[in-house]
Structures are given as C-alpha cells and as structure tokens.
C-alpha cells in the first residue's frame, strides 16, 4: 500500500524537476541576448579609399567585416573565421582570406580553400553608387 | 576531598559569539597526512576573494574602460601592482594546489565509500575554480582576453542541439563584446565566488561526516598554528611568484587593448588550459569536443567507477596505471600546447626539413630564427598552397593559391597584409606602383629585409642600412641621406629597448612602454618607406621627441622597480622570520602536549 509519506517521497522528485523547469525557463530566456537576429547594418566607404588589390576591415553592427577590391569588383564578408571566430585578413599574392589563428583560408567567393575551417565565410551585400560603396548585412 | 575542576572561562566576546561551538563546527574532526593541501586551497580562496574585492575598487567593467582601468591598477594605483599581480598569480597557484589535492586524493583512494560525496564536491569545486579563472581572464579586456574568449567559446556552437543557445548564453550576442564582458564580470565576481564559498562549506561539512581513513585529531592550539603557517607559507610562495616570475601572469598580447578587427597570433591559453587546446588541435573537431565534455563527468564519476574496497596504492595497479596515464597525458599535452607553432606551419616544415637538397631545406632553420616564426607567420603566409597537405602536389597546388616565390610586384601587398602602415607608405612613395624609375626592378620589402634569405631579422637598422651601404642599395640615392638620420634614431630606440628588456627581467609586469615604443616606430617608419628625403627629417624629429618622453618614463619605471624589489625582499624576509617563529611555537606546543599526555 502506498502510504502518504511514501507517496510524497515518490512525488518529490518530479515536482522538484517541474519547479526547476518552471523557474529555469524564464531564467534562460532572461539570460539569452535580446534581439538575437542582428538588425541590418550598413557601412559606407569611398571607392577611392580602396585601390584594386586592397582590403578594409571594419565593424558592421558591432561585428568584424571585410571588403576586398579586385579587378573584378568588390567582395565583402563577415570577417569571423568559421573555424573558431578569429578575424580573417586579405592576402593579395595568394589571393585568399587568411585566418591567423589556425591557418584557415577562403577564396573570394567565401569558399574554404584550406585549413581547418569547414563552412564558408558568410557574404555581405555590396552596393556601388558612384564614388560610394555600401556594404550591408543581409 | 578534591574540588571539581572549573570549566574553562571564555572571553566576553567569545562567549557571546559562541566561538567554541563555531570552532568545533568548522574544524574537521580529524586530518590525514595531506590535510594541509586542502587547507592551502581554502587560504588561497580567501586571498583571491580579498584581492578581488580590492581590484573592484578601481576596475571598470566596460569595454571602453576595462583595459585602461586594469592597467591603471598595475601602474598608477599605489600598491596596485601587488594586488593585481597577486590576484593573477594566485589564480594559477590555487588551481595548481587544487590539482595537487585531487591527485593525492586519487592516489590514496580517498573517494571510496562512504566518502563519494566528499570527492564529488571537491572535484566540482576544482571545476568551478577553473570556470572562475577562465571568466576572470576576460576582464582585463586585452587582445589576449578578447581572442582567448573568442576561441574558447566558439566550439560551444558545434555542440549538437543546445550549442547555439550555449554560445549565446556565454557571449550575450553573436560575437564577443560588451555583453560578454558583463556576463564574465557577473560570473567572476558574484555567481562563481558564491558557489565556491557554498561548495567549500559543504565540502567541510561532508569531511566531518566522513573523515579520511586513519586520520587523527590534533590539538586545537597546534591546528591554529599550523593554519597560520599554511597562510604565511602561501603568502610567501605567492610573493615569490610575483617577484621572480611576474611574466607568468602576462603572456604575449596581455598588454595590448582588445581589437575585434585584428587577431594577433599565436593566441595561447593560460597554462592550466594548454592541454585542452592541444587536445582539440590533435583530434577531429567533434571528437575533441566530446572528450572535453566527458572529462568533467568522468572526474566526478570516479567513486562510482572504482568501487572496490581496496585502498592501498600497491594493491590497485590498474587504478595507479590509469592515474599515471592521465597525468602523463596532461603533462605531454600541456607541453605540446605550450610549444605549438601555428598549426599551418607543420607540414611544410616537416617536408622541407627532411629534404636532402640544401636549397630546399635551408629555409626551415632560417624561418625558425626569424621574426615571422616568433609571430607564427607560416610558410603559406607568403607562398600560398595548402600547408596541411602531406602530398607535394597538393601542397603546391596553384588552385589553392600556391605562388612559389612571389613576384616582386606582389611583395609589398603581401607584406602589407600584416605590416599595413609600412606597406601603405611604400605604395604611396617613391617606389610605389607606377612610380618606379624607368620601370627597373625597384627595391621591395625583400631587398632590405630578406637580403640573406628567410631569416628576416627584427627590423634592426644596423643590419638593414649598414654604414657604408652595400652595393645593391647604392642605386637608391635617397637611402644615403636617410641613413644618416635613421642610424642615430635607431640606436636610441635600441638602447631604450634594452632598458625595457632589463625592466621586464626585474620584479615588474609589462610596463606598456614597449607597446608605446612600437607605436612610435609605426609612426615614423611609413615616412622612411616613402623614400621622401623632404618629409623624413620632420618625422625623425617627432620620433626623437617621443623617445625623450619614453626614456623619462623608463627612468621612472626603473626607480619604481627598485622600490618594489626592496619591498619584496623585505616582505620575503619578514615572511620567513614569521614562519620560523611559528615553527618554533609549534614545536613548543607539541612538546608541552606530549608532556601532558605522558
């Protein structure tokens, strides 16, 4: 026969778990960043600031980004390496975006060219308006 | 008829505080041979709490102010150096003591029934200590803080299911930034210390319930003296660390403010996490993560895995072998993590080094001796290709960016990927694109800086612009004029550098002067590389004025170093005297106790 004490003992664990869940859910929600999806951000650059073969790194909505100018136009990416998040830099001679932390390399389409990264760099939108270049997040 | 003995009288304050009862509740009933290790951990925690509270008086937890305020504590606040260095070194010392405590407990099988919870609580405290140290690493907001946090938190995202949520919880956003600093601050200053304090109390309580087998009670007076000796000994060791090895708390990049746009290389974690980074580099990504996630669980589960009744070490060969293997793996991985070059360098170096053709292999020792090896710039940084490929054709695949020896036209841009300001100066100057006289092969970076091969020296003007100029540089008339200005300036820079190195060897953390000297150099070297004699004298004049100011500050730092050194020696002497006094008192009380027992 399941006595009162035994019943309470059996119920104690699930009740405690339910309470923890009820309290834990709002706690985790509170701790998660507000507005996880970043708001669209734009940075304007002067075309003359960037000669062919050169690059610029800048913060876009608080995150590092990079734009590279080649003979074929402008290429812009979020600059965080997809391996562990270090900021990539442009190397003109090999023509790649290089991560100084563990040697990951990406081509100008953002594809992995070598090193430990597995995912491509996320591209940014580039709009050319006369002398002004606008780089914006999607 | 003899009178009944009077009960011992308590003092006014002690009787109202219930000091005797409190002492009985706090004291462990009995202690084993290694009890002092646990006691030293408690002393260390108390020191960290006190020094951390003092740091909070001046520290500002905001990305715009954190680095400056942490630096101000070190160099401007009276005795701030002792507090900050002590706190930083104390974290490492505390973790080392915790690890030693764990090792001894494992060797002595102190986790066996009925002491399972003592072990679980103690090891949970070790893991919490690790988390506390790691969160504290973020707070100075240096390049090291920023990038170590970025690299350490990034793998969380790869965990299946909850990974992105965990990463968002840790960083407070997509990238490391102000929310990360706030979270680390709250965790390091409030949440984790509270958990540690509660955990220590629980550990002490559990220890009372299940003392170490074979432990003996000590006299309260002896115990008080021993605790005092442990506290003084801990303080002495910490002071010695601060005085003789201040650099331990300031690895490379710890004296440069955080910059999300510039990842320095190499970034290495603190010594107590080197093994983890080496493990991750060694194994496939998910396997490394899985092992790192399972290790804490395995550590906590030890009492439930080894449940046999045998405690004697010599009768537990399997357990001893496992402990020895784990310790050996930790030591080897830590050593591997400490000397890890950029992972990208490895395969190129392995193949070229083994090649019998001297032309092919000579570049490896040259590169190792160069400033590029020191900065972890690997072969593919200039030559492209796949540095991880073991096959020659794959490694040298043009589709993977292999360029062989870079064309001279590409060299400035190649070097400019890192040496941006110098490259900009060169490109805008006399030998920039399209301005080279008569289309001849002009001097490029490699002409001066790689004159003898891959052993690119630190930029020493005596080597780059020797007096007289070598034949290959004589066709550049501007260089002769500049040489007259550069050599004296470089000599003063070199002298300042030697003073700063001497300062770094004394009882001082980095002064920041080396960083400012580098900034000064970065201001005048672009003018040199524009090869414009009209502009250069003014740049040199500004640099000389800057050097005057830095030299004055170096003199002040030298005076400060002298004061700190004398204080440290006095402190060490005093601590030794106190230890000796406590030792004598201990022996006296022990003899008196033995006499009473007899």
């Amino acid at each position: 026969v399941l006595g009162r004490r035994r019943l309470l003992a059996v119920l104690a664990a699930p009740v405690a778990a339910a309470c923890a869940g009820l309290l834990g859910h709002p706690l985790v929600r509170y701790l998660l960043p507000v507005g996880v999806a970043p708001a669209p951000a734009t940075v304007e650059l002067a075309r003359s600031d960037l000669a062919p073969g050169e690059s610029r790194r800048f913060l876009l909505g608080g995150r590092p980004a990079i734009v590279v100018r080649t003979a074929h136009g402008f290429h812009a990416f979020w600059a965080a390496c997809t391996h562990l998040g270090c900021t990539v830099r442009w190397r003109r001679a090999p023509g790649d975006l290089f991560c100084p932390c563990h040697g990951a390399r990406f081509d100008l389409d953002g594809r992995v060219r070598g090193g430990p990264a597995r995912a491509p760099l996320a591209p940014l939108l580039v709009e050319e308006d006369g002398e002004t270049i606008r780089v914006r997040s999607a | 008829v003899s009178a009944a003995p009077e009960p011992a009288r308590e003092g006014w304050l002690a009787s109202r505080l219930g000091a005797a009862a409190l002492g009985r509740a706090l004291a462990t009933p009995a202690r084993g041979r290694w009890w002092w290790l646990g006691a030293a951990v408690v002393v260390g925690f108390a020191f960290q709490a006190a020094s951390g509270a003092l740091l909070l008086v001046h520290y500002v937890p905001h990305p715009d102010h954190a680095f400056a305020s942490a630096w101000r504590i070190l160099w401007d606040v009276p005795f701030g150096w002792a507090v900050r260095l002590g706190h930083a070194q104390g974290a490492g010392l505390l973790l080392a003591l915790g690890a030693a405590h764990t090792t001894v407990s494992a060797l002595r099988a102190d986790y066996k029934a009925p002491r399972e919870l003592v072990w679980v609580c103690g090891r949970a405290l070790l893991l919490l200590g690790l988390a506390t140290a790691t969160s504290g690493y973020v707070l100075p907001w240096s390049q090291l803080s920023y990038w170590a946090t970025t690299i350490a938190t990034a793998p969380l995202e790869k965990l299946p299911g909850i990974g992105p949520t965990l990463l968002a919880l840790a960083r407070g956003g997509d990238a490391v930034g102000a929310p990360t600093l706030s979270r680390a601050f709250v965790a390091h200053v409030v949440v984790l210390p509270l958990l540690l304090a509660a955990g220590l109390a629980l550990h002490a309580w559990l220890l009372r319930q299940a003392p170490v087998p074979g432990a003996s009670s000590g006299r309260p007076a002896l115990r008080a003296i021993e605790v005092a000796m442990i506290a003084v000994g801990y303080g002495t060791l910490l002071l010695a660390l601060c005085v003789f090895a201040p650099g331990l708390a300031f690895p490379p990049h710890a004296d440069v403010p955080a910059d999300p746009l510039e990842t320095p290389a190499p970034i290495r974690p603190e010594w107590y996490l080197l093994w983890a980074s080496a493990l991750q580099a060694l194994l496939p990504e998910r396997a490394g993560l899985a092992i790192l996630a399972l290790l804490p669980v395995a550590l906590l589960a030890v009492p439930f895995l080894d449940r046999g009744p045998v405690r004697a070490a010599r009768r537990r060969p399997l357990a001893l072998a496992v402990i020895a293997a784990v310790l050996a793996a930790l030591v080897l991985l830590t050593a591997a993590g400490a000397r890890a070059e950029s992972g990208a360098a490895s395969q190129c170096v392995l193949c070229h080094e083994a090649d019998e053709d001297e032309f092919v292999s000579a570049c490896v020792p040259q590169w190792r001796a160069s400033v590029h090896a020191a900065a972890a710039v690997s072969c593919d940084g200039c030559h492209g290709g796949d540095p991880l490929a073991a096959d020659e054709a794959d490694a040298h695949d043009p589709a993977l960016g292999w360029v062989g020896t870079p064309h001279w036209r590409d060299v400035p841009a190649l070097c400019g990927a890192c040496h941006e300001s110098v490259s900009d100066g060169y490109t805008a100057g006399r030998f920039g694109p399209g301005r080279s006289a008569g289309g001849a092969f002009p001097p490029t970076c490699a002409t001066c800086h790689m004159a003898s091969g891959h052993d690119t020296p630190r930029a020493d003007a005596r080597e780059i612009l020797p007096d007289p100029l070598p034949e290959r540089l004589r066709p550049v008339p501007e260089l002769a004029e500049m040489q007259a200005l550069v050599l004296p300036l470089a000599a003063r820079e070199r002298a300042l550098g030697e003073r700063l190195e001497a300062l770094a060897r004394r009882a001082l953390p980095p002064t920041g002067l080396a960083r400012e000297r580098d900034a000064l150099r970065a201001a005048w070297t672009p003018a040199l590389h524009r090869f414009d004699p009209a502009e250069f004298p003014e740049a040199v004049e500004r640099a000389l004025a800057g050097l005057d100011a830095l030299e004055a500050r170096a003199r002040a730092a030298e005076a400060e170093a002298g004061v700190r050194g004398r204080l440290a020696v006095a402190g060490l002497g005093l601590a030794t005297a106190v230890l000796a006094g406590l030792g004598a008192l201990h022996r006296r009380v022990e003899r008196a106790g033995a006499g009473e027992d007899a």
Side-chain angles (χ1 to χ4, degrees):
Chain A
V1 178
L2 197 62
R4 193 174 56 186
R5 283 172 188 272
R6 177 74 182 145
L7 179 67
L8 284 174
V10 167
L11 287 179
V15 167
C19 289
L22 283 172
L23 288 173
H25 175 71
L27 181 65
V28 171
R29 288 293 304 275
Y30 178 85
L31 290 173
L32 280 172
V34 180
V36 175
T42 306
V43 162
E44 289 191 358
L45 302 164
R47 182 186 289 271
S48 55
D49 284 349
L50 211 60
E54 287 185 346
S55 70
R56 282 283 178 279
R57 277 171 280 166
F58 49 88
L59 289 177
L60 185 64
R63 296 164 64 189
I66 187 167
V67 60
V68 180
R69 183 177 181 185
T70 66
H72 307 295
F74 292 88
H75 310 261
F77 303 92
W78 290 116
C81 175
T82 55
H83 177 221
L84 290 178
C86 300
T87 299
V88 297
R89 51 178 72 146
W90 163 245
R91 299 188 307 177
R92 184 175 172 178
D96 62 18
L97 293 154
F98 174 74
C99 176
C101 281
H102 300 93
R105 291 173 298 120
F106 304 87
D107 65 18
L108 277 177
D109 291 322
R111 289 179 303 225
V112 178
R113 216 184 220 191
R118 293 287 168 267
L121 288 178
L124 294 166
L125 302 175
V126 180
E127 292 169 3
E128 300 181 39
D129 182 9
E131 178 56 21
T132 304
I133 306 298
R134 283 191 200 87
V135 180
R136 66 172 79 230
S137 56
Chain B
V1 178
S2 61
E6 279 188 26
R9 283 186 187 170
E10 279 190 317
W12 183 89
L13 188 62
S15 64
R16 279 153 183 81
L17 281 175
L22 184 67
R24 280 194 301 275
L26 290 179
T28 55
R31 58 206 179 144
R33 186 187 296 174
W34 294 89
W35 73 279
W36 60 272
L37 261 177
V41 169
V42 177
V43 166
F45 174 73
F47 178 85
Q48 289 304 101
S51 56
L54 288 174
L55 287 174
L56 286 178
V57 173
H58 292 284
Y59 174 73
V60 184
H62 186 281
D64 292 344
H65 307 289
F67 180 83
S69 64
W71 205 256
R72 202 164 44 245
I73 293 170
L74 201 56
W75 280 101
D76 296 338
V77 176
F79 296 101
W81 63 275
V83 180
R84 189 170 165 207
L85 261 183
H87 193 74
Q89 301 275 39
L93 182 57
L94 192 51
L95 285 172
L97 284 169
H101 187 40
T102 298
T103 308
V104 169
S105 298
L107 286 170
R108 292 166 51 90
D110 284 345
Y111 49 79
K112 299 227 169 179
R115 305 190 79 251
E116 297 95 329
L117 287 184
V118 180
W119 170 274
V120 170
C121 182
R123 269 52 290 158
L125 280 170
L126 179 65
L127 296 172
L128 278 175
L130 211 54
T132 311
T134 310
S135 58
Y137 213 55
V138 183
L139 303 188
W141 210 239
S142 63
Q143 277 286 69
L144 183 65
S145 307
Y146 187 91
W147 292 107
T149 307
T150 298
I151 293 170
T153 52
L156 290 175
E157 195 176 21
K158 312 275 172 34
L159 290 173
I162 56 167
T165 306
L166 283 181
L167 185 70
L169 283 172
R171 288 185 177 175
D174 292 331
V176 171
T180 321
L181 182 58
S182 297
R183 280 154 198 255
F185 181 72
V186 171
H188 187 75
V189 172
V190 181
V191 179
L192 291 168
L194 281 177
L195 287 175
L196 280 168
L200 282 171
L202 178 64
H203 195 55
W205 171 255
L206 291 170
L207 209 56
R208 278 183 68 83
Q209 309 312 307
V212 180
S216 60
S217 298
R219 290 169 181 278
L222 275 179
R223 187 171 292 171
I225 296 168
E226 284 161 357
V227 169
M229 287 174 78
I230 289 167
V232 176
Y234 181 89
T236 311
L237 188 55
L238 195 56
L239 184 60
L241 273 176
C242 293
V243 171
F244 298 115
L248 279 182
F250 290 90
H253 315 303
D255 61 340
V256 183
D259 180 358
L261 293 180
E262 186 65 50
T263 304
I267 287 289
R268 294 199 183 101
E270 276 287 282
W271 65 266
Y272 44 80
L273 289 176
L274 280 172
W275 62 272
S277 74
L279 189 72
Q280 271 192 300
L282 202 66
L283 296 173
E285 197 169 60
R286 284 184 183 274
L289 276 174
I291 289 181
L292 286 179
L294 285 175
L295 273 177
V297 180
L299 183 68
L300 295 174
V302 163
F304 311 103
L305 298 173
D306 179 15
R307 300 171 70 171
V310 179
R311 286 176 184 277
R314 62 179 182 281
R315 291 173 57 200
R316 295 187 301 132
L318 180 62
L320 278 190
V322 171
I323 293 168
V326 170
L327 287 178
L330 284 176
V331 169
L332 290 175
L333 284 170
T334 300
R339 66 165 190 275
E341 296 171 341
S342 167
S346 52
Q347 200 57 50
C348 311
V349 166
L350 285 176
C351 291
H352 278 256
E353 197 170 35
D355 202 294
E356 289 177 0
D357 185 344
E358 197 182 332
F359 180 77
V360 176
S361 62
C363 55
V364 175
Q366 286 182 346
W367 172 79
R368 282 213 170 107
S370 74
V371 69
H372 285 144
V377 177
S378 52
C379 314
D380 64 313
C382 299
H383 300 287
D386 185 354
L388 301 177
D391 182 78
E392 185 179 353
D394 291 342
H396 297 169
D397 186 351
L400 297 176
W402 166 251
V403 293
T405 302
H407 191 279
W408 63 265
R409 281 196 194 87
D410 293 326
V411 168
L414 197 60
C415 301
C418 298
H419 304 277
E420 209 164 342
S421 62
V422 172
S423 171
D424 287 350
Y426 177 90
T427 308
R430 164 91 167 73
F431 298 108
R435 284 182 286 277
S436 180
F441 178 6
T444 68
C445 317
T447 312
C448 297
H449 296 279
M450 293 186 72
S452 57
H454 286 77
D455 52 342
T456 313
R458 292 183 185 280
D460 189 324
R462 287 176 306 180
E463 292 176 23
I464 297 162
L465 294 176
D467 191 13
L469 281 170
E471 191 65 39
R472 66 189 163 79
L473 294 178
R474 285 191 194 151
V476 190
E478 294 84 351
L479 278 181
E481 293 175 40
M482 292 179 176
Q483 182 193 37
L485 291 170
V486 165
L487 288 181
L489 171 64
R492 277 188 64 185
E493 264 197 356
R494 196 168 50 250
L496 176 65
E498 285 164 5
R499 286 175 80 169
L500 297 183
E501 280 173 20
L503 268 173
R505 285 194 295 272
R506 299 176 71 176
L508 288 171
T511 57
L513 290 172
R515 178 162 39 95
E516 291 186 38
R517 189 266 321 263
D518 292 346
L520 196 65
R521 181 184 290 165
W524 68 261
T525 44
L528 170 68
H529 290 86
R530 277 192 285 274
F531 299 96
D532 182 355
E535 168 200 14
F536 193 56
E538 197 183 321
V540 170
E541 204 172 308
R542 278 198 303 272
L544 288 171
L547 274 177
D548 286 341
L550 287 183
E551 282 166 354
R553 289 177 52 199
R555 278 194 295 278
E558 282 161 353
E560 174 85 18
V563 172
R564 290 183 188 190
R566 284 190 287 279
L567 277 174
V569 169
L572 285 173
L574 182 66
T576 311
V578 171
L579 267 181
L582 285 170
L585 186 63
H586 187 270
R587 283 192 295 277
R588 195 169 160 184
V589 174
E590 208 169 25
R591 274 201 302 272
E596 277 176 26
D597 290 345

